[in-house]
Amino acid sequence: MQLLNKEHKTPSLKTAEVQKQWLLVDAAGKTLGRLASEVASRLRGKHKATFTPNQDCGDNVIIINASKVQVTGRKSEQKIYYHHSRYPGGMKAIAFHKLIQENPERIVTEAVKGMLPKSKLGDVMLKNCRVFANDKHNLQAQKPVKWEIR
């Protein structure tokens, strides 16, 4: 049996070796699902050659204009978001068209959250995503790079 050389090992990134970048995404006119899948992929770090599945090696993403995100078909009238208070009879439901007026950040956050791993690591990755309803954000100090999604 041949032993592998040290230089041919698959690299496993350590937490201290992770290099994160700040990205700015404009959600105006973008389709919700396509936007969320691209953002989730960046949050995971799948675009990097040093991707490690058990580490938070993704970038930080700032999403602006969440209130101008679009959905296809009749989802704006038919899509329902559910929440339960954990009390008997505590099921709450709100339609997409109402939620986009009241809390558009929640729509984008829920879409991205659904595309991340369902684990503690997925929760940590979601904290690297900041969503704002309009084009104003308070993260200019991080000097985010504008990232255009197709």
Side-chain angles (χ1 to χ4, degrees):
M1 185 169 117
Q2 274 186 330
L3 295 174
L4 292 174
N5 293 338
K6 293 282 184 192
E7 65 266 2
H8 292 297
K9 288 181 128 182
T10 303
S12 182
L13 213 57
K14 306 288 186 279
T15 307
E17 299 169 350
V18 174
Q19 295 177 345
K20 290 183 173 271
Q21 183 180 12
W22 283 86
L23 302 170
L24 179 69
V25 178
D26 189 2
K30 301 285 191 284
T31 305
L32 178 63
R34 292 179 192 273
L35 171 76
S37 64
E38 288 287 329
V39 169
S41 179
R42 282 286 173 148
L43 289 173
R44 280 202 77 192
K46 303 253 331 204
H47 64 287
K48 296 182 180 181
T50 56
F51 171 66
T52 308
N54 62 336
Q55 290 291 330
D56 177 21
C57 58
D59 294 332
N60 296 306
V61 180
I62 303 166
I63 302 172
I64 58 173
N65 289 326
S67 61
K68 297 177 184 171
V69 75
Q70 295 177 345
V71 290
T72 59
R74 295 179 57 196
K75 291 186 197 88
S76 59
E77 299 97 36
Q78 294 177 344
K79 187 166 177 61
I80 307 289
Y81 288 87
Y82 294 100
H83 173 73
H84 200 284
S85 67
R86 296 193 179 191
Y87 285 97
M91 179 72 83
K92 308 279 186 207
I94 186 164
F96 177 88
H97 67 283
K98 286 186 182 176
L99 192 59
I100 196 91
Q101 296 167 356
E102 294 174 15
N103 191 359
E105 298 96 348
R106 182 176 163 206
I107 290 174
V108 177
T109 305
E110 291 285 326
V112 172
K113 180 182 179 182
M115 297 184 185
L116 288 173
K118 284 31 169 202
S119 62
K120 293 177 189 174
L121 185 59
D123 296 339
V124 171
M125 289 175 186
L126 187 63
K127 289 180 183 174
N128 294 330
C129 180
R130 310 305 200 305
V131 183
F132 296 94
N134 51 22
D135 60 347
K136 308 247 188 299
H137 64 90
N138 58 359
L139 298 164
Q140 289 86 6
Q142 278 67 35
K143 298 183 182 99
V145 177
K146 189 155 178 61
W147 174 43
E148 189 62 38
I149 295 178
R150 297 176 246 130

